[in-house]
Amino acid sequence: MVAATEPAERPLNARLVLAGTVLGSSLAFIDGSAVNLTLPVIQRQLGGDAAGAQWIMNAYALMLGALVLAGGAAADRYGRRTIFIVGVVLFSAASALCGAAPNLTLLIMARALQGVGAALLVPASLALLGASFDEAGRGRAVGVWAGASGLMSAIGPVLGGWLTDAVSWRAVFLINLPLAALAVWFILAGARESREPATGPVDWSGAACATLGLSALTWSLTQASTAGPSMAVWGLGAAGAVLLVIFLQIERRAASPMVPLDLFRSAAFSGANLLTLLLYAAFGGALFLLPFQLIGVHGYPATEAGAALLPLSIGLAALSPLAGTLSARIGVRAMLTLGPLLAAAGFAGLAWSAQDGAYWTGVFPGLTLLALGMGVAVAPLTDAVLGAVPSAYEGAASGVNNATARIGGLLAVALAGFALAPGAAGGEAMTQAYQIAMAAAACAAAAAGLVGAITMRSEGEL
């Protein structure tokens, strides 16, 4: 998206643009990682079953995954600064609703609004960078943006756990408000409006169909995993599948499709997205369940449970640049085979030590292997996606792959109810269900490694 955006008129203040886009996008990244740690506490205070906890995460992920591509197109067509500000304002208003929510239903609705806001502000922030910096300055600006976003994702669990223990789970949402106000002020003071005159119409019909289809499918999987299958569950799941087929037909005929289907003629691109779906489904499902195991079964305070995830965040941040350099030397096939297999070993380790509540023997070894695996795989996966398509389609390919990763996590969390079902609410039953879930994650990650070995191009072909 950054590379495809033509620089516009010189911004009023490029540093303010960079600061505003970093702050705005950080809202979305920190919320994605911090809220996980609040779920067991929210469930105790607001009530609700396992499905309610799942929807706190999935309402956000659903809207973000389904609408992020349309959000990028809207930024190009209607103005990047305008769409960014609309996204931040919507996100912050929804955050205030989350912080004040008196019940689970309103909280879930507000989380969905947060997802819509994030789907607007995240791609608009990248487009603003592309429009505000020339070619020489873009690399540095995007590096700062990516580094800050990664840092926010890394501190999210620790901050979320600390705020939950020291103040309230509501503070995790309310802290977004001053950050959002600063982001809007920086962009109003520093950025000029820019848009792409040649951009076609936004594919709102495709976005609506994808959202409805994914919503129906997610609801059916959530209900099946918590309350058991029924005719209503099967019927709505089938309706969701039909809507997704209709979405593909819309994309085939759309003047400006969200998902250019011709990209999937590339075996490497299709393989990279299948690998992404499997690996991020395993990763998202595991990270959703881990706080319930640590807090609900082993009695960790929320702060300690958040700190327990630090090796994963640090490992990802430290290894990703090195993995990108190494993949250029030995090829992405080796990296995208080894990385998922290491992640699979990490999931298997977490399953094996599930009954061990001691951090250094029960959690740290598995998380370390998982960090190694994800750190080895993430950067080469981006290289594989971009290298599988012509340069003119790199922005679309990156967007599709990002949406695929989020949808993988969305579907995994929907299925996580099997581990949080009423019969597995705590103690030994929860531990057994957690072990099964981690074993399933290990199988999915191993399958991703197999896909990488079969579909990725050899060294020199990328």
Side-chain angles (χ1 to χ4, degrees):
M1 180 174 287
V2 174
T5 304
E6 290 294 328
E9 187 179 356
R10 183 179 179 85
L12 298 172
N13 189 316
R15 291 183 178 179
L16 290 182
V17 174
L18 180 57
T21 55
V22 165
L23 274 177
S25 58
S26 294
L27 295 173
F29 288 110
I30 201 169
D31 245 50
S33 58
V35 174
N36 255 15
L37 271 296
T38 69
L39 294 179
V41 178
I42 292 174
Q43 196 174 31
R44 287 200 300 266
Q45 292 188 10
L46 295 186
D49 54 9
Q54 289 167 276
W55 275 111
I56 293 172
M57 296 302 297
N58 274 349
Y60 178 81
L62 173 64
M63 293 301 177
L64 179 54
L67 298 178
V68 67
L69 295 176
D76 287 339
R77 184 171 178 81
Y78 300 117
R80 289 132 188 167
R81 188 175 78 157
T82 297
I83 293 300
F84 178 85
I85 291 172
V86 169
V88 172
V89 170
L90 181 59
F91 188 94
S92 58
S95 297
L97 284 175
C98 288
N103 55 59
L104 198 60
T105 300
L106 185 58
L107 176 60
I108 292 169
M109 293 172 61
R111 286 285 287 165
L113 282 177
Q114 273 192 315
V116 176
L120 295 175
L121 73 90
V122 171
S125 68
L126 284 168
L128 267 175
L129 289 180
S132 301
F133 289 85
D134 58 21
E135 189 172 347
R138 285 182 181 183
R140 184 168 59 253
V142 173
V144 172
W145 182 92
S149 299
L151 177 63
M152 288 299 179
S153 295
I155 68 173
V158 180
L159 179 62
W162 178 78
L163 285 173
T164 300
D165 279 342
V167 186
S168 166
W169 62 266
R170 299 179 186 276
V172 177
F173 297 104
L174 297 177
I175 198 174
N176 293 332
L177 302 183
L179 296 178
L182 275 176
V184 169
W185 184 83
F186 285 150
I187 294 302
L188 287 175
R192 297 184 189 274
E193 185 60 282
S194 65
R195 56 176 56 86
E196 179 54 57
T199 299
V202 179
D203 183 17
W204 292 120
S205 60
C209 199
T211 303
L212 291 173
L214 287 171
S215 298
L217 189 59
T218 303
W219 185 89
S220 64
L221 291 174
T222 301
Q223 289 300 111
S225 65
T226 54
S230 66
M231 288 300 296
V233 168
W234 287 115
L236 198 58
V242 170
L243 284 169
L244 293 178
V245 171
I246 295 173
F247 165 73
L248 295 178
Q249 294 302 315
I250 292 173
E251 298 307 284
R252 190 181 302 277
R253 300 172 184 173
S256 302
M258 286 173 52
V259 180
L261 297 182
D262 286 346
L263 296 179
F264 289 92
R265 293 179 179 177
S266 165
F269 182 76
S270 298
N273 279 282
L274 177 57
L275 188 157
T276 299
L277 185 70
L278 291 168
L279 186 59
Y280 278 87
F283 188 65
L287 287 190
F288 174 76
L289 289 173
L290 188 57
F292 284 93
Q293 180 71 4
L294 295 179
I295 296 172
V297 175
H298 295 310
Y300 280 51
T303 304
E304 291 183 15
L309 299 178
L310 269 178
L312 181 59
S313 303
I314 293 171
L316 275 168
L319 288 173
S320 290
L322 298 176
T325 302
L326 186 58
S327 70
R329 296 182 179 179
I330 68 174
V332 296
R333 175 182 287 173
M335 303 294 284
L336 293 180
T337 302
L338 176 63
L341 292 179
L342 283 171
F347 292 127
L350 289 171
W352 178 266
S353 61
Q355 295 183 346
D356 186 354
Y359 175 70
W360 293 108
T361 56
V363 181
F364 181 77
L367 280 183
T368 300
L369 280 173
L370 180 55
L372 285 172
M374 295 300 293
V376 166
V378 168
L381 184 55
T382 302
D383 290 342
V385 169
L386 298 182
V389 300
S391 59
Y393 293 96
E394 286 182 352
S398 178
V400 169
N401 187 251
N402 185 277
T404 299
R406 297 185 183 280
I407 290 168
L410 169 74
L411 297 177
V413 172
L415 290 169
F418 286 112
L420 297 178
E428 187 64 27
M430 173 65 194
T431 297
Q432 291 176 0
Y434 170 84
Q435 287 179 307
I436 293 171
M438 289 298 171
C443 292
L450 181 61
V451 170
I454 294 172
T455 64
M456 293 299 103
R457 297 175 180 179
S458 301
E459 182 181 359
E461 292 184 311
L462 188 61

